[in-house]
Amino acid sequence: LSPNYPNPFNPTTKINFSLPKDGKVCINIYNINGQHIATLMDTFIQSGSYTVSWDGKTKSGSMASSGIYFYQMKTPNYVVTKKMSLVK
C-alpha cells in the first residue's frame, strides 16, 4: 500500500497498491474517531498493481468535512493503515 497522492487533497486522491497473489481486497476509509466513512473496494482481484480513487464522499454520498482520515487495506494475510488529510 503506497501513500495517497496528493496528500493533503481536495477533492480527489489516488491510492496505489500491489497484490502479490490473487485474493480478496478490502479498502475502507475511516475518520479520526474510527467511524467507517466509505468503502473503496471489497472484491476478489488478481495479483498485480492497482489504483483506487476517493472523491471525498461518504458512503451516504455527502462530502466529508476537512480533517484527518485513515485508509485501510485488508487482505487475508495483510492489514495496513495509512493517514491522509482532506482540506477544503
Side-chain angles (χ1 to χ4, degrees):
L1 184 65
S2 300
N4 65 301
Y5 180 82
N7 190 21
F9 71 98
N10 178 14
T12 303
T13 189
K14 295 181 186 279
I15 300 167
N16 297 313
F17 67 95
S18 295
L19 196 63
K21 60 182 181 178
D22 299 358
K24 183 174 180 181
V25 175
C26 186
I27 299 178
N28 289 306
I29 307 291
Y30 299 92
N31 67 14
I32 195 78
N33 296 319
Q35 296 167 314
H36 179 253
I37 299 299
T39 298
L40 304 183
M41 178 178 278
D42 188 6
T43 191
F44 187 93
I45 59 174
Q46 295 180 339
S47 63
S49 296
Y50 295 88
T51 300
V52 294
S53 295
W54 184 41
D55 58 6
K57 292 186 180 175
T58 66
K59 57 188 171 187
S60 65
S62 61
M63 281 301 296
S65 58
S66 294
I68 303 294
Y69 291 88
F70 298 93
Y71 57 104
Q72 182 180 70
M73 176 180 161
K74 284 185 186 179
T75 69
N77 301 315
Y78 184 73
V79 177
V80 65
T81 304
K82 295 191 182 255
K83 183 170 65 169
M84 62 183 159
S85 299
L86 172 59
V87 179
K88 291 188 176 180

